[in-house]
């Protein structure tokens, strides 16, 4: 007998029209869609054509009208400022409508871009929703990125307005945003016309007239903006994510498919009901923050926790349990790296006992592979279901999960369980042919993708085709590798490209290589991700110096590390660079990054038959041994 998950999954693939038509009833439309989907030449579909809606209305105003006005929409819990602020749906409506009015007064029109470079404060979410209210397209840039990454995004998205704050906060230090934003603006050809700045007490912003505006003054003086009726296909946001080159990819999400899929997912994947408390312990700069701090909890009428702190050190390894207990969190979502950090400081999970976690039903983990040890530790320590689930910026919501809202399936450690309804996941070999259970290959999703997934890349149709659709015609290429077991459980093992995953942050080794390569003493370089007990992976750089350069290795390495930190941001976490004589390459000149990674991680490797000179691998091993790798 099949269960609720099996029934939903089958219906979603056999009759997606019926499946998604039903989910779409949960959204308040200005004009109901003409159809559920319409095929596009790319092989994707346009979801809910003819439909018109407003995402902000569905996430905010609707709940006030429905009697949730006094319920907390957002609770900002900030151990870094020692404060807790609760914002009701009614307050949220007022803040967002006035900020939207401010954007209109600055000349922001439909489809204009607004870049949001902000720390974990509620105003960041006000900014996203204000854009959604008037049909502007937001692009949030993670606060841990520095001037170089910021400049690339401003250059590409050409925002009319930047919403920012005077600073972000990290344990023990204040991150002044102005120097980074000024440098980024200096570097771009088309400058933003306005910056709206949230002045935080920890750091003052030097206002530049007439470009800069004080957030509070401007919003207070602005009338509330009305709600724009947008086409389902209109872009809601652009979120840049690391690709294999130094240039990030601008993933574009629409309004209609996004609202339907996100609301459906919170209920059916995470098992959350309206009015409950959901906490995604991530950052609004990542997709997890977009989908599960901002949009999904608000679309469903939940209370969303916005946490400005760390799993450890703010003040201790009990921080997550304190927050969960204090705010009655029902479902918590974080990255495995956060769980590893807690486990390292509190191996017995003793601090959990200090708090009442009776409201907490489950813990979801994603952002990187959830190693079985970490999952087992969380299960033991919490005595609640711990659910690994797999997705990416491009999908916007889970592709494989144990859908607790439908039916809890038995957990298998190391697997994010089964494909989520809407996703027809296949494992393909290099030629694009399907592989049987047990065999590892490329993880691909048969087209069309369900609603909520990317519609394309901002101003880059060719890049979209080439990155995701060309390699396996008829499929979306996830760039992850893995296999199914006999029961349809998916195992996601690694990336098939040069993207690495550091503490749940997706980073491009290509971007770091570009920065290292710009140093005047560097002839060529490579960056690879090596295993790290806490962060999963960390980047490790190799550089070959220009002929004739005589430098103290240590001094140069420190300079290179500082350069990447300054240009890309501290989040790149590149802490070690090895100066080597040569890089191992194939005869055609391709750097053997994978082989270097295996040597560093002391894994067995095969000397590639196409290698130019096998002796280089011995040199690399020696250089790595000197730094404590390759034991
Ligand atoms: N602004 C400025 N700097 C930031 C930043 C931000 N928003 N976020 C991180 N950084 C800095 C950190 O301070 C750190 O700097 P350091 O090199 O001076 O120590 C550096 O970037 C690396 O950050 P990160 O890799 O996140 O490590 P961390 O020391 O801040 O925390 C853990 C690491 C172990 C606590 C980690 O487990 C964690 O919780 N990471 C976040 C997981 C996450 O939310 N992932 C998102 C996907 S769900
Ligand atoms: P991001 O786009 O930043 O969310 O990163 C997405 C990538 O993180 C995926 O393509 C995977 O490589 C990895 N990832 C995310 N969740 C998981 C998971 N549960 N298991 C294995 N890898 C994961």
């Amino acid at each position: 007998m099949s269960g609720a998950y099996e029934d939903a999954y089958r219906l979603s693939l056999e009759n997606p029209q019926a499946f998604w038509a039903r989910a779409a009833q949960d959204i308040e439309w200005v004009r109901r869609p003409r159809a559920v989907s319409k095929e596009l030449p790319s092989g994707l579909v346009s979801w809910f054509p003819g439909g018109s809606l407003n995402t902000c209305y569905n996430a905010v105003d609707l709940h006030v009208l429905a009697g949730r006005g006094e319920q907390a929409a957002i609770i900002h819990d900030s151990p870094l400022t020692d404060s807790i602020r609760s914002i009701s749906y009614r307050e949220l409506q007022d803040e967002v409508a006035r900020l939207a009015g401010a954007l209109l007064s600055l000349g922001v029109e439909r489809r204009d871009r607004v870049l949001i470079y902000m720390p974990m404060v509620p105003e960041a979410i006000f900014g996203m929703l204000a854009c959604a209210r008037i049909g502007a397209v937001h692009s949030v840039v993670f606060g841990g990125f520095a001037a170089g990454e910021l400049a690339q995004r401003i250059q590409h998205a050409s925002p009319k307005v930047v919403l920012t704050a005077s600073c972000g906060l990290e344990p023990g230090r204040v991150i002044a945003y102005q120097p980074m934003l000024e440098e980024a603006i200096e570097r771009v050809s088309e400058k933003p016309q306005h910056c709206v700045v949230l002045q935080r007490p920890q750091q003052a912003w030097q206002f530049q007239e007439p470009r800069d505006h004080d957030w509070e003054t401007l919003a207070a003086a602005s009338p509330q903006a009305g709600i724009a009726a947008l086409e389902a296909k209109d872009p809601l946001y652009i979120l840049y994510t690391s690709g294999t080159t130094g240039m990030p990819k601008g993933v574009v999400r629409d309004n209609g498919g996004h609202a339907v899929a996100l609301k459906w997912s919170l209920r059916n994947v995470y098992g959350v009901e309206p009015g409950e408390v959901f906490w995604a312990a991530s950052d609004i700069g990542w997709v997890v923050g977009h989908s599960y701090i901002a949009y999904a909890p608000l679309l469903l009428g939940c209370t969303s926790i916005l946490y400005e702190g760390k799993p450890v050190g703010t003040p201790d390894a009990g921080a997550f349990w304190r927050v969960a207990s204090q705010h009655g969190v029902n479902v918590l979502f974080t990255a495995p790296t956060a769980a590893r950090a807690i486990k390292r400081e509190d191996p017995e999970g003793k601090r959990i006992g200090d708090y009442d976690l009776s409201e907490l039903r489950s813990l979801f983990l994603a952002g990187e592979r959830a190693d079985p040890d970490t999952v087992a530790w969380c299960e033991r320590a919490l005595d609640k279901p711990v659910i690994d689930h797999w997705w990416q910026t491009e999908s916007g919501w889970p592709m494989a999960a144990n859908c607790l809202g439908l039916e809890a399936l038995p957990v298998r450690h190391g697997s994010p369980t089964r494909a989520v309804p809407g996703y027809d996941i296949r494992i393909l070999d290099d030629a694009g042919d399907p592989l049987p259970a047990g065999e590892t290959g490329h993880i691909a999703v048969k087209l069309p993708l369900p609603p909520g997934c990317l519609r394309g890349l901002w101003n880059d149709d060719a890049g979209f085709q080439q990155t995701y659709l060309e390699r396996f015609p008829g499929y979306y290429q996830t760039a992850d590798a893995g296999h199914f077991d006999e029961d349809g459980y998916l195992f996601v093992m690694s990336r098939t490209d040069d993207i690495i995953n550091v503490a749940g942050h997706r980073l491009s080794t290509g971007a770091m290589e570009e920065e290292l390569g710009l140093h005047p003493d560097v002839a060529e370089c490579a960056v690879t991700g090596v295993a790290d007990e806490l962060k999963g992976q960390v980047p490790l750089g190799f550089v070959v110096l220009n002929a004739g350069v005589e430098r103290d290795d240590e001094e140069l390495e420190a300079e290179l590390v500082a350069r990447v930190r300054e240009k890309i941001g501290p989040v790149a976490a590149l802490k070690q660079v090895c100066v080597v004589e040569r890089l191992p390459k194939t005869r055609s000149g391709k750097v053997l990054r994978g082989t270097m990674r295996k040597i560093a991680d002391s894994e067995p490797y095969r000397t590639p038959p196409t290698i130019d000179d096998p002796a280089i691998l011995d040199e690399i091993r020696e250089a790595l041994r000197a730094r404590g790798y390759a034991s």
Side-chain angles (χ1 to χ4, degrees), residues 142-144 170 173 282 310-311 337-338 503-505 535 565 570-571 575:
F142 174 57
E170 283 292 288
R173 67 183 202 275
S282 176
K310 302 274 171 180
T337 188
H505 309 313
K535 298 195 174 187
R565 188 177 171 92
V571 74
K575 300 270 166 140

Side-chain angles (χ1 to χ4, degrees), residues 118-120 142-145 168-171 173 175 177 180 281-283 286 288-289 309-312 320 333-342 344 366-368 502-505 534-535 565 569-573 575:
M118 296 199 61
M120 289 287 282
F142 174 57
F145 283 133
L169 301 172
E170 283 292 288
R173 67 183 202 275
I175 319 286
Y177 280 10
M180 290 187 282
S282 176
D283 189 288
W286 305 113
V288 176
K310 302 274 171 180
V312 294
F320 273 24
F333 173 173
T334 192
T337 188
R340 286 195 296 270
I342 296 170
R344 192 166 73 167
E368 60 181 313
V502 180
H505 309 313
L534 179 65
K535 298 195 174 187
R565 188 177 171 92
V571 74
K575 300 270 166 140

Side-chain angles (χ1 to χ4, degrees), residues 367-369 388-393 480 492 495 501 506:
E368 60 181 313
R369 184 173 152 72
D388 175 17
H389 63 319
W390 166 72
W391 52 297
Q392 47 187 202
T393 305
D480 279 318
V492 183
R495 292 282 304 189
N501 210 306
R506 172 168 159 180

